[in-house]
Amino acid sequence: MNRGFLPDTNIPSELMRARPEPKVQDRVAAQDVGTLFMSVVSIGELETGFATTRDVARTARLEASLERYLALLFVGRVLPVTQAIAVRWGMIAATALEHGLTLVTRNVKDFAGLGVDLLNPWLDS
């Protein structure tokens, strides 16, 4: 039973773009905010990406954008990597499975066959 949605890292990354894909933006906006969760793994991946950006102003903008998304969309719903998730280890897929969430990603082929419900907002409407 799906209890919500767990965006893969490419979803908040897309939403932080200057011109995000409208299908992705609309899909996220259509969800009850209480059904949206984020994995600490995605936060780490985003932070790692920010650290490799040489443009200080862009890094500051991305950091502020992440903080805004965390505060508005995911407050109280950032999921840790627990022992049960580590045992399953599909990382973000394991987090979705452990919490009964649909994994929202552009990279559906990366998660095929893992038993997790998948949604590609670039294609699905």
Side-chain angles (χ1 to χ4, degrees):
M1 180 172 116
N2 178 26
R3 298 186 301 198
F5 300 91
L6 181 69
D8 190 9
T9 306
N10 56 36
I11 302 300
S13 181
E14 180 68 25
L15 295 174
M16 289 187 285
R17 295 172 59 95
R19 288 184 302 224
E21 167 60 47
K23 287 181 183 180
V24 176
Q25 202 169 21
D26 293 347
R27 177 64 104 160
V28 172
Q31 301 310 311
D32 174 356
V33 78
T35 66
L36 299 174
F37 295 83
M38 177 159 298
S39 170
V40 295
V41 173
S42 290
I43 295 170
E45 289 178 351
L46 289 166
E47 291 287 352
T48 298
F50 300 164
T52 62
T53 304
R54 296 179 197 252
D55 182 338
V56 176
R58 183 168 187 257
T59 299
R61 182 182 60 78
L62 291 170
E63 289 279 359
S65 185
L66 177 59
E67 288 301 318
R68 187 173 52 252
Y69 281 117
L70 292 176
L72 295 175
L73 292 180
F74 302 106
V75 65
R77 292 181 315 282
V78 175
L79 303 173
V81 174
T82 63
Q83 182 175 354
I85 291 167
V87 167
R88 281 184 154 168
W89 201 249
M91 289 304 280
I92 197 154
T95 303
L97 286 166
E98 187 67 21
H99 294 279
L101 303 171
T102 297
L103 180 58
V104 184
T105 183
R106 185 178 209 168
N107 304 323
V108 293
K109 69 180 182 329
D110 294 347
F111 302 100
L114 297 178
V116 64
D117 290 332
L118 297 168
L119 172 70
N120 180 345
W122 277 265
L123 300 178
D124 300 336
S125 57

